[in-house]
Each structure stands twice: as structure tokens, then as C-alpha cells.
Amino acid sequence: TRYFVDHRRVRVVGGQGGGGGHSFYSEPRKIFGGPDGGNGGDGGHVILKADQQTKSLSSVLPFYQGFHGERGGSKNCYGANGACVYVKVPVGTLVKEDGIVVADLTQHGEEYVAAYGGAGGKGNRFFLSNENRAPTLFTPGEPGQERVLHLELKTTAHAGLVGFPNAGKSSLLRAMSNAKPAVAAYPFTTLNPHVGIVRYEDYEQVAVADIPGLIRGAHQDRGLGIAFLRHIERCRFLLYVVDLSVSQPWIQLQDLKYELEQYKNGLSKRPCVVIGNKIDLAQSRINLPLLKEQIDDRVVALSALTGDNLEELLLHLRELYDIYVKTEQSRGQSPVKW
């Protein structure tokens, strides 16, 4: 079983540089040929590389070390450099050291040198001078850089489904995309973020993340708490999923926005649409006009179970995506593509 992992502690050590060579050139009729020990090779780096195919930090090991450089040889031969070790991490990985963010890998193929390899040592040929025609001095290779890093994954998706447990987020994601999060006839909450891809006729793809259900006090680390609030930070627009069958459904929306705002200022102000789920129930039809009176945001009433009015949500989702693309292009930045 592959478990979803969104944080990892990793110790990285660069490869050690190869020692310098120590030799003197000698052949028949040329006894004093002089020093010819070459320099050692540099140690290999440890490099973190963002990869679109990697979706979790579960494959990241707790320790990585670069390959060592080779020792310098005779006849002025330099030692080979140690090979670099590449560690694939998901797009959206934050790299922290002592609580400080040192890298943010948000683009496919982006790299960060986590630990530099040590420099190779100098052979005795390097120390040849007019004052010293037969140097015996040579230096060992330097050790590689050693660091302890904390990797933290923030899911990079265009839209985030935000709602309380059992509001129907997982059922909605199954209905609108190819993702298959678990759903059942009894109350429970999703434990891992799921990302579904909504495909349109013009081949555009919109990524929608199902953020595990929040509860009141989530910003204080209650329930699943801030373990999954971080995944909402990367979403460009939000889809609030409200259960229309409960009394006063607008209270759910107020609580959700409050939790997001307490976690990070401005998070609840992002472009959004309110999804009134479970419209197939009789009580939901009564609550729908009351919800529209209480809030200013656009409300899309649908049923994730039967698929009623799902098309309106998909069209509005595309509108939000097109606005996001135009905004990014006007800033001279490239929008995130899936």
C-alpha cells in the first residue's frame, strides 16, 4: 500500500572530494621528470528535483549522500567527479531548514541543490614552483556539505473543495473528474487529499483538490487541523461545499471562511463559488432560497449523488480557470498546467 505523505525529514550529505595524487614522473634517461600527481575529483551534489509524476513524499528516503570523487592519478591525471544524486519530489514541495524556507519547488523540472559535494584535493603537481621543484605536498579532498532538511508538500491544484465532513466533497469529486476517493453510506471523513482532473473539449485540464474535512477550531490544530489547511494555500480559487439538508447552511459557510482566515490572512477572499449539495433532498429545496438571501457569493445547487445541475458547476469552474489564466498572463507569469 502506498500511503500519502506530505512531510518528511531528510538528512543529506554531499560526496567527499577525492584526494590529490602524489607521484613523480620517471622514465628511462629522464630520472628527474618532476611531480605529476593530478588533482582529485569533486564530490557529487544531492539535488532535489520537482517531478509532475510524483504525487507524494512517500518515496523520499530519510538519508541521501552524493558519490565521492576519485583520487588524482599519476601523469597529471585528474580524478573523476562524483555523480550527483537526484531526489524526485512532487511539484509544490517546500524545503525548510531550521524552520526557514530555503526553496519552493513549484515548477516541473525545477531543481534545488540540497547538499554540495566537497572540492577535490590538490595533487603535488599543483604545488610546483621555481622555489620548490620537487614538492611532496598534496591535500586530501574536502568533506561534502551536511544538512538536515524538512520537506513539506502543499498540493498544487487550481481549485480546492472546502467543506465540513460529510458535506459530499468526495462524491462531488468522483462525479466531476476521474478521481476515485472513498465514499460510503455512513459518516466518515477523507484522510488524504485527492486531486481530480476535469477535462474540457478544448483539451484544457483543471485540477480540483478534495481537501479533507475541516472542523471548527481547525486553525488551532483540532481534528486533522493544520495538517491539511496547508494544501488550500496553493489553490487559486475555492469551491465551498455546503450541505443544504442541515438547518441554517449559511452558518457552515461562515465557519469555513473563519477557519481559513484564521489560518492565513486573505485566504477566504480568493475567488470562489458556493456549492449547495444534496439538492435531491426535500429539506434542501426549502433551505436553498434562504441560503441565497444570506450570502452574496454565487450559489450553485446540485446533487453529487444523482448528477443534477453538475454541468452548471463545470461551466462556472471553467470561467474561474480562464480568469486565473488571464490574470497570470497579464502579470507575465505562466499559469500552472496539468
Side-chain angles (χ1 to χ4, degrees):
T1 305
R2 284 196 171 186
Y3 296 98
F4 178 84
V5 177
D6 60 355
H7 53 88
R8 197 64 116 187
R9 180 179 179 272
V10 184
R11 180 169 159 257
V12 289
V13 181
Q16 182 163 349
H22 175 260
S23 66
F24 287 89
Y25 185 75
S26 178
E27 66 175 16
R29 296 185 298 278
K30 196 170 185 180
I31 303 172
F32 302 106
D36 67 347
N39 297 339
D42 296 333
H45 309 320
V46 179
I47 301 174
L48 304 179
K49 186 171 184 177
D51 181 61
Q52 247 178 359
Q53 302 303 317
T54 306
K55 301 302 181 186
S56 167
L57 293 172
S58 57
S59 60
V60 177
L61 302 177
F63 176 73
Y64 289 96
Q65 183 171 21
F67 291 92
H68 299 319
E70 293 186 6
R71 187 178 184 83
S74 58
K75 299 182 181 178
N76 295 323
C77 290
Y78 281 38
N81 292 334
C84 295
V85 172
Y86 285 88
V87 182
K88 289 184 179 180
V89 296
V91 174
T93 299
L94 274 180
V95 185
K96 293 183 177 180
E97 185 177 24
D98 298 327
I100 300 172
V101 177
V102 294
D104 189 0
L105 306 176
T106 57
Q107 300 290 334
H108 175 69
E110 197 172 350
E111 296 181 359
Y112 173 69
V113 181
Y116 286 94
K122 302 298 184 184
N124 63 339
R125 168 74 183 184
F126 177 82
F127 298 100
L128 178 65
S129 65
N130 290 332
E131 292 76 22
N132 188 1
R133 305 304 299 169
T136 57
L137 178 64
F138 62 98
T139 59
E142 295 182 2
Q145 185 182 16
E146 183 174 349
R147 302 169 75 186
V148 176
L149 302 175
H150 292 267
L151 307 184
E152 185 179 293
L153 174 61
K154 293 183 179 180
T155 303
T156 302
H158 299 117
L161 288 172
V162 185
F164 286 120
N166 306 309
K169 299 188 301 300
S170 297
S171 300
L172 181 59
L173 191 65
R174 289 176 73 103
M176 65 194 296
S177 73
N178 57 355
K180 302 298 179 188
V183 297
Y186 53 85
F188 75 101
T189 187
T190 304
L191 296 179
N192 299 325
H194 294 272
V195 179
I197 307 299
V198 181
R199 294 181 171 86
Y200 291 90
E201 291 181 354
D202 58 352
Y203 303 106
E204 282 286 0
Q205 297 185 146
V206 179
V208 181
D210 171 19
I211 310 299
L214 304 178
I215 64 171
R216 291 176 179 86
H219 70 279
Q220 298 171 338
D221 216 9
R222 291 181 185 170
L224 295 174
I226 59 175
F228 294 112
L229 272 170
R230 70 167 73 99
H231 294 282
I232 303 175
E233 283 187 63
R234 300 282 189 184
C235 298
R236 272 61 182 185
F237 40 91
L238 303 177
L239 309 178
Y240 294 102
V241 184
V242 176
D243 185 353
L244 282 177
S245 64
V246 301
S247 61
Q248 297 182 324
W250 54 90
I251 301 295
Q252 295 181 45
L253 183 63
Q254 293 172 5
D255 290 339
L256 288 170
K257 288 191 174 184
Y258 174 77
E259 292 300 328
L260 296 186
E261 196 63 28
Q262 290 298 310
Y263 174 69
K264 184 179 180 182
N265 288 335
L267 198 56
S268 64
K269 303 292 192 299
R270 293 191 182 177
C272 69
V273 60
V274 178
I275 301 170
N277 195 18
K278 305 182 183 180
I279 193 62
D280 51 310
L281 302 179
Q283 186 62 40
S284 299
R285 299 190 190 97
I286 299 172
N287 289 336
L288 179 59
L290 301 176
L291 175 65
K292 290 183 176 180
E293 289 177 8
Q294 292 288 334
I295 64 174
D296 298 327
D297 298 316
R298 179 172 178 175
V299 179
V300 177
L302 54 80
S303 171
L305 182 65
T306 63
D308 290 348
N309 211 27
L310 191 63
E311 187 175 351
E312 182 184 350
L313 172 62
L314 296 178
L315 292 173
H316 190 59
L317 180 67
R318 181 58 191 269
E319 290 176 17
L320 290 171
Y321 174 74
D322 289 340
I323 293 171
Y324 155 70
V325 170
K326 289 178 182 177
T327 304
E328 290 294 298
Q329 289 175 345
S330 65
R331 294 175 181 170
Q333 299 176 355
S334 57
V336 174
K337 295 285 187 179
W338 277 72

